[in-house]
Amino acid sequence: QVPLVQSGAEVKKPGASVTVSCKASEYIFTKFYIHWVRQGPGLGLEWLGVSNPSGGGTTYAEKFLGRITMTRDTSTSTVYMELGSLRFDDTAVYYCAKDFNSNFPSYGLDVWGQGTTVTVSS
Amino acid sequence: DIQMTQSPSSLSASVGDRVTITCRASQNIYSYLNWYQQKPGTAPKLVMYIASSIQNGVPSTFSGSGSGTDFTLTISSLQPEDFATYYCQQTYTTPPTFGGGTKVEIK
């Protein structure tokens, strides 16, 4: 069983919203935080935020406050990341990733989804 | 936010070479420094956590060291499967931040 499975590629217009899903195993969903990280074309890694699927708490990067929302569906062990007011520079591969120890400070991200390509194009 | 600076940004090396990548944090992060390996078209893979703990399944040719603000990732004998881009990440404070990456290429 693949631990984290993400939804498929999306193409959106500027100003629209996109929702990316990340289906986790029940074990991961109930015990570990899930982070979201993105990577623009040819660029490095950028952290978007983290959610505690079992408890529902979230922390977002300040850069995205006001246009990012992370939610969860406990019935399907799925975490969602919605990014709104899309701009051209939101074009990136978006990854969900499991926290190693779900404690603070974290020991890093030890299991990653396959990535979801989001293209913002007019 | 804590800034993470990696050097070099790229390097060329041969199979069997010893390779060292450095990462510097803009403030003290104690040992909360992780390293990832990323190959083209794939997700990053955690290779080292809390500076010097090797992740399960990673060859013992990889080692990490450092604390405070200065860290290194060393590959003692470069193998063909090690050619990739490596990123450091601090997790001492929120937001966790990544270095800009070091691309290890074949000479």
Side-chain angles (χ1 to χ4, degrees), chain A residues 31-33 35 98-110, chain B residues 32 34 46 49-50 91:
Chain A
K31 293 191 179 301
F32 296 97
Y33 300 159
H35 296 251
K98 165 191 165 290
D99 195 288
F100 189 116
N101 58 327
S102 288
N103 211 333
F104 186 81
S106 167
Y107 288 3
L109 308 176
D110 65 335
Chain B
Y32 294 101
N34 313 303
L46 181 69
Y49 60 97
I50 46 171
T91 47

Short mmCIF file of all heavy atoms in Angstrom, two decimals, chain A residues 31-33 35 98-110, chain B residues 32 34 46 49-50 91:
data_model
loop_
_atom_site.label_atom_id
_atom_site.label_comp_id
_atom_site.label_asym_id
_atom_site.label_seq_id
_atom_site.Cartn_x
_atom_site.Cartn_y
_atom_site.Cartn_z
N LYS A 31 -1.84 9.24 13.20
CA LYS A 31 -0.70 9.40 14.11
C LYS A 31 0.30 10.49 13.73
O LYS A 31 1.15 10.86 14.56
CB LYS A 31 0.05 8.07 14.23
CG LYS A 31 -0.76 6.97 14.91
CD LYS A 31 0.08 5.78 15.23
CE LYS A 31 -0.73 4.69 15.93
NZ LYS A 31 -1.32 5.16 17.18
N PHE A 32 0.24 10.99 12.52
CA PHE A 32 1.30 11.89 12.07
C PHE A 32 0.75 13.16 11.42
O PHE A 32 -0.27 13.17 10.76
CB PHE A 32 2.20 11.17 11.06
CG PHE A 32 2.93 9.99 11.64
CD1 PHE A 32 2.44 8.71 11.47
CD2 PHE A 32 4.11 10.17 12.35
CE1 PHE A 32 3.10 7.62 12.02
CE2 PHE A 32 4.78 9.08 12.89
CZ PHE A 32 4.27 7.81 12.73
N TYR A 33 1.51 14.24 11.62
CA TYR A 33 1.21 15.48 10.92
C TYR A 33 1.52 15.30 9.42
O TYR A 33 2.42 14.55 9.04
CB TYR A 33 2.06 16.63 11.44
CG TYR A 33 1.90 16.95 12.90
CD1 TYR A 33 2.90 17.65 13.58
CD2 TYR A 33 0.77 16.59 13.61
CE1 TYR A 33 2.78 17.96 14.93
CE2 TYR A 33 0.64 16.89 14.96
CZ TYR A 33 1.66 17.57 15.61
OH TYR A 33 1.54 17.89 16.93
N HIS A 35 2.52 17.61 6.10
CA HIS A 35 3.01 18.89 5.60
C HIS A 35 2.74 19.00 4.10
O HIS A 35 2.60 17.99 3.41
CB HIS A 35 4.53 19.01 5.81
CG HIS A 35 4.96 19.00 7.23
ND1 HIS A 35 5.45 20.13 7.88
CD2 HIS A 35 5.01 18.00 8.15
CE1 HIS A 35 5.78 19.82 9.12
NE2 HIS A 35 5.52 18.53 9.31
N LYS A 98 4.72 13.28 5.12
CA LYS A 98 4.47 12.87 6.51
C LYS A 98 5.61 13.36 7.40
O LYS A 98 6.79 13.25 7.08
CB LYS A 98 4.37 11.35 6.58
CG LYS A 98 4.47 10.75 7.97
CD LYS A 98 4.62 9.25 7.89
CE LYS A 98 5.09 8.66 9.22
NZ LYS A 98 6.49 9.02 9.53
N ASP A 99 5.24 13.90 8.56
CA ASP A 99 6.25 14.28 9.55
C ASP A 99 6.85 13.04 10.18
O ASP A 99 6.15 12.09 10.52
CB ASP A 99 5.60 15.16 10.61
CG ASP A 99 6.61 15.89 11.45
OD1 ASP A 99 7.29 15.25 12.28
OD2 ASP A 99 6.75 17.11 11.28
N PHE A 100 8.16 13.06 10.36
CA PHE A 100 8.87 11.90 10.91
C PHE A 100 8.37 11.53 12.29
O PHE A 100 8.09 10.37 12.59
CB PHE A 100 10.36 12.23 10.95
CG PHE A 100 11.27 11.06 11.28
CD1 PHE A 100 12.18 10.61 10.34
CD2 PHE A 100 11.24 10.44 12.51
CE1 PHE A 100 13.03 9.54 10.63
CE2 PHE A 100 12.07 9.38 12.80
CZ PHE A 100 12.97 8.94 11.85
N ASN A 101 8.24 12.53 13.16
CA ASN A 101 7.96 12.22 14.57
C ASN A 101 6.76 12.95 15.13
O ASN A 101 6.39 12.75 16.28
CB ASN A 101 9.18 12.52 15.44
CG ASN A 101 9.63 13.98 15.34
OD1 ASN A 101 9.50 14.61 14.29
ND2 ASN A 101 10.15 14.53 16.41
N SER A 102 6.13 13.83 14.31
CA SER A 102 4.96 14.59 14.75
C SER A 102 5.14 15.15 16.14
O SER A 102 4.27 15.01 17.01
CB SER A 102 3.70 13.73 14.65
OG SER A 102 3.37 13.56 13.29
N ASN A 103 6.29 15.76 16.32
CA ASN A 103 6.58 16.43 17.57
C ASN A 103 7.29 17.72 17.19
O ASN A 103 7.60 17.97 16.01
CB ASN A 103 7.45 15.55 18.45
CG ASN A 103 7.19 15.79 19.92
OD1 ASN A 103 6.78 16.88 20.31
ND2 ASN A 103 7.43 14.78 20.72
N PHE A 104 7.57 18.55 18.17
CA PHE A 104 8.27 19.79 17.87
C PHE A 104 9.51 19.87 18.73
O PHE A 104 9.42 19.72 19.95
CB PHE A 104 7.37 21.00 18.13
CG PHE A 104 8.01 22.28 17.69
CD1 PHE A 104 7.99 22.66 16.36
CD2 PHE A 104 8.70 23.08 18.60
CE1 PHE A 104 8.61 23.83 15.95
CE2 PHE A 104 9.32 24.23 18.20
CZ PHE A 104 9.27 24.62 16.87
N PRO A 105 10.69 20.14 18.15
CA PRO A 105 10.94 20.27 16.72
C PRO A 105 10.84 18.93 15.96
O PRO A 105 11.09 17.87 16.52
CB PRO A 105 12.38 20.78 16.65
CG PRO A 105 12.66 21.36 18.00
CD PRO A 105 11.89 20.50 18.94
N SER A 106 10.49 19.07 14.71
CA SER A 106 10.34 17.89 13.86
C SER A 106 11.70 17.32 13.46
O SER A 106 12.71 18.03 13.41
CB SER A 106 9.57 18.30 12.61
OG SER A 106 9.64 17.31 11.62
N TYR A 107 11.70 16.05 13.13
CA TYR A 107 12.89 15.38 12.61
C TYR A 107 12.85 15.31 11.08
O TYR A 107 13.60 14.56 10.47
CB TYR A 107 13.01 13.96 13.16
CG TYR A 107 13.40 13.89 14.62
CD1 TYR A 107 13.58 15.02 15.40
CD2 TYR A 107 13.60 12.65 15.23
CE1 TYR A 107 13.94 14.93 16.74
CE2 TYR A 107 13.96 12.55 16.56
CZ TYR A 107 14.13 13.69 17.32
OH TYR A 107 14.47 13.59 18.63
N GLY A 108 11.95 16.06 10.47
CA GLY A 108 11.93 16.09 9.01
C GLY A 108 10.74 15.36 8.43
O GLY A 108 9.82 14.95 9.14
N LEU A 109 10.77 15.19 7.12
CA LEU A 109 9.65 14.61 6.37
C LEU A 109 10.12 13.30 5.75
O LEU A 109 10.96 13.31 4.84
CB LEU A 109 9.20 15.59 5.29
CG LEU A 109 8.90 17.01 5.80
CD1 LEU A 109 8.57 17.94 4.65
CD2 LEU A 109 7.79 16.97 6.82
N ASP A 110 9.61 12.18 6.25
CA ASP A 110 10.19 10.90 5.87
C ASP A 110 9.39 10.11 4.84
O ASP A 110 9.89 9.11 4.33
CB ASP A 110 10.45 10.03 7.11
CG ASP A 110 9.18 9.63 7.83
OD1 ASP A 110 8.16 10.35 7.71
OD2 ASP A 110 9.20 8.59 8.52
N TYR B 32 18.79 20.59 14.67
CA TYR B 32 17.56 20.34 13.91
C TYR B 32 17.75 20.64 12.43
O TYR B 32 17.14 21.57 11.86
CB TYR B 32 16.40 21.09 14.54
CG TYR B 32 16.10 20.55 15.91
CD1 TYR B 32 16.53 21.22 17.04
CD2 TYR B 32 15.44 19.33 16.07
CE1 TYR B 32 16.30 20.71 18.31
CE2 TYR B 32 15.20 18.81 17.33
CZ TYR B 32 15.64 19.50 18.45
OH TYR B 32 15.41 18.98 19.69
N ASN B 34 18.07 18.66 8.63
CA ASN B 34 17.81 17.44 7.87
C ASN B 34 18.33 17.60 6.45
O ASN B 34 18.44 18.72 5.94
CB ASN B 34 16.30 17.17 7.83
CG ASN B 34 15.67 17.30 9.20
OD1 ASN B 34 16.07 16.63 10.16
ND2 ASN B 34 14.70 18.19 9.33
N LEU B 46 14.27 11.72 2.38
CA LEU B 46 15.03 12.04 3.58
C LEU B 46 16.21 11.09 3.70
O LEU B 46 16.04 9.87 3.69
CB LEU B 46 14.13 11.92 4.81
CG LEU B 46 14.74 12.24 6.17
CD1 LEU B 46 15.04 13.74 6.28
CD2 LEU B 46 13.78 11.82 7.29
N TYR B 49 18.70 12.96 9.36
CA TYR B 49 17.87 13.80 10.19
C TYR B 49 18.60 14.14 11.49
O TYR B 49 19.53 13.41 11.89
CB TYR B 49 16.50 13.16 10.46
CG TYR B 49 16.53 11.82 11.16
CD1 TYR B 49 16.35 11.72 12.53
CD2 TYR B 49 16.74 10.65 10.43
CE1 TYR B 49 16.38 10.50 13.17
CE2 TYR B 49 16.78 9.42 11.06
CZ TYR B 49 16.59 9.35 12.43
OH TYR B 49 16.62 8.13 13.06
N ILE B 50 18.15 15.20 12.12
CA ILE B 50 18.83 15.80 13.28
C ILE B 50 20.35 15.70 13.11
O ILE B 50 21.06 15.21 13.98
CB ILE B 50 18.35 15.25 14.64
CG1 ILE B 50 18.24 13.74 14.69
CG2 ILE B 50 17.02 15.87 14.99
CD1 ILE B 50 17.98 13.21 16.11
N THR B 91 14.39 22.46 10.97
CA THR B 91 13.07 22.27 11.57
C THR B 91 13.05 22.76 13.02
O THR B 91 12.19 22.35 13.80
CB THR B 91 12.63 20.80 11.49
OG1 THR B 91 13.71 19.96 11.93
CG2 THR B 91 12.23 20.42 10.08
#
